[in-house]
Amino acid sequence: MKLVALVDGSTYTRSVADHAAWIVGRTGATLDLLHAIGRRETSSAPTNLSGSISLGARTALLQELSTLDEQRARLAQKRGRAILDDVAELLSEAGVTATPRLRTGDLIEAIEDAESDVDMIVVGKRGEAADFAKLHLGSNLERVVRGSKKPVLVASRAFKPINRFLIAYDGSASAMRAVDHVARSPLFSGLECHIVTVGEDKTETRRKLEGAVALLKGGGHTVTASVVPGQPERAISAYVENEGIDLLAMGSHGHSRIRQLIIGSSTTAMLRSCKIPIVVFR
C-alpha cells in the first residue's frame, strides 16, 4: 500500500502527519509527503500596463516584476523544503519513514501524476489560505475530494485515537466501494464498526443494508447496523456525536439525498459539521 500526504504548512499539517502515521502503523504503507508550490506563490499579479505609462517605464517595471518573481520562487522553494523537512522529522520521531516530494505547479495535476500507484491520499480539512473565522474549507480540499479516484482521508484539526468508525451507507456504487474497501483493508481491522442508512425504514432499505453488513462480516468485522430517520447531514452528525464515533467513511457520489452532502455546497456543510476525520470514496 502507498500513501500520499499533502502538506502545506497550515495549522492542519501536524494532524495530516499524525493521521498518515496512524495509517502507516496499521497497514505498513509506504508514505510520500507532497508539497506543491502554486503559481500564485511564484508570480506577480497580472497587471495591465498598456496605455497608462510610457514604454521605458513599462519595460523597467516588467524587469522589476521579473526579478521579484525569481525571488518569490526561490523563497517558495525554501519554504516548501522546510515544511517537508519538518514533517519528515515529526514522522521520524514516530518511527515512520517518509519520502518528501516538492512539486511546482497545480496540486491536482501533481496528484493525478502520482495517483496511478497510490492507494490513499491524506489532506487537511483547511489549508493555509482558508478563512478560519468563517469556517471556510480549503479550496484545494474540495478539488482533491472531487477529483481524486482514490480514497481521500480528510484530517480533522487534531488527531485523536481511532477506535470506532461509521460508514454512511446509501446503497450507491461509491458507498458500496467504501464498504468493500473497509471489509478488505487492514486499516479498519479490529476497530468497532458501525453502518448507518439515513431514511425511511423500509424493507428495501433493510435489504440493501443487510447486504453491506454481510460483506463487512465476511471481512471479519462485528457490525452495528441502523436505519435512522431525518436529514442526512444532521442525522449522521448526531450519530457520530451520540455513539462516540472517531472516523466517518462515506461514498462521494450517492443516488439519494446523501449525494447532496458531497457534491456541491453541501459538501462544505458536511465537512464543517463533523469534527472527526472523514474518508471519502469515489
Side-chain angles (χ1 to χ4, degrees):
M1 179 175 178
K2 186 174 181 179
L3 179 69
V4 169
L6 310 181
V7 293
D8 64 356
S10 70
T11 304
Y12 279 76
T13 297
R14 176 60 187 259
S15 177
V16 168
D18 290 341
H19 281 89
W22 175 72
I23 296 170
V24 170
R26 292 188 62 84
T27 65
T30 58
L31 172 61
D32 281 0
L33 299 175
L34 175 62
H35 177 80
I37 301 173
R39 294 182 179 87
R40 68 178 181 181
E41 297 177 70
T42 58
S43 63
S44 303
T47 304
N48 182 4
L49 300 175
S50 61
S52 58
I53 55 179
S54 68
L55 180 60
R58 191 160 61 240
T59 300
L61 181 54
L62 287 172
Q63 289 175 342
E64 289 186 27
L65 288 173
S66 178
T67 301
L68 179 60
D69 285 349
E70 292 175 3
Q71 293 173 345
R72 292 177 64 177
R74 284 196 293 270
L75 287 173
Q77 292 270 345
K78 288 182 179 178
R79 179 176 179 273
R81 291 193 186 95
I83 290 170
L84 289 169
D85 289 345
D86 285 349
V87 177
E89 186 174 343
L90 282 173
L91 289 165
S92 178
E93 292 171 357
V96 175
T97 301
T99 302
R101 301 193 184 283
L102 185 64
R103 170 78 181 250
T104 300
D106 185 74
L107 174 62
I108 303 304
E109 292 177 2
I111 292 173
E112 288 174 350
D113 290 343
E115 253 190 347
S116 60
D117 63 344
V118 165
D119 299 288
M120 183 172 283
I121 296 167
V122 183
V123 61
K125 182 179 289 189
R126 294 185 175 88
E128 60 177 348
D131 187 334
F132 280 74
K134 297 180 180 178
L135 295 181
H136 284 172
L137 300 172
S139 58
N140 282 331
L141 166 62
E142 297 194 48
R143 295 173 66 211
V144 170
V145 169
R146 289 189 176 119
S148 175
K149 298 175 183 175
K150 301 299 173 65
V152 178
L153 187 147
V154 182
S156 51
R157 182 71 176 268
F159 177 81
K160 294 181 180 178
I162 296 172
N163 298 309
R164 56 180 65 89
F165 66 94
L166 168 67
I167 302 172
Y169 182 76
D170 66 353
S172 67
S174 58
M176 202 60 214
R177 278 191 284 275
V179 170
D180 182 64
H181 184 100
V182 168
R184 293 183 294 103
S185 174
L187 179 62
F188 300 91
S189 178
L191 302 179
E192 186 177 317
C193 177
H194 295 243
I195 184 168
V196 162
T197 294
V198 180
E200 189 177 349
D201 194 350
K202 300 185 295 187
T203 301
E204 178 65 11
T205 304
R206 285 283 175 184
R207 186 186 64 78
K208 290 183 178 179
L209 185 59
E210 287 170 2
V213 169
L215 186 57
L216 292 167
K217 287 183 176 178
H221 290 282
T222 300
V223 185
T224 300
S226 307
V227 177
V228 298
Q231 192 274 340
E233 178 195 334
R234 293 178 181 174
I236 292 170
S237 294
Y239 191 97
V240 166
E241 183 71 21
N242 294 336
E243 299 297 328
I245 299 298
D246 304 308
L247 180 146
L248 173 64
M250 62 192 308
S252 62
H253 294 76
H255 56 59
S256 69
R257 292 165 64 193
I258 285 182
R259 175 173 185 168
Q260 297 175 4
L261 298 176
I262 299 300
I263 303 299
S265 59
S266 292
T267 302
T268 305
M270 189 65 200
L271 291 170
R272 279 184 186 144
S273 64
C274 279
K275 298 178 181 177
I276 59 174
I278 302 175
V279 185
V280 181
F281 295 83
R282 185 172 179 179

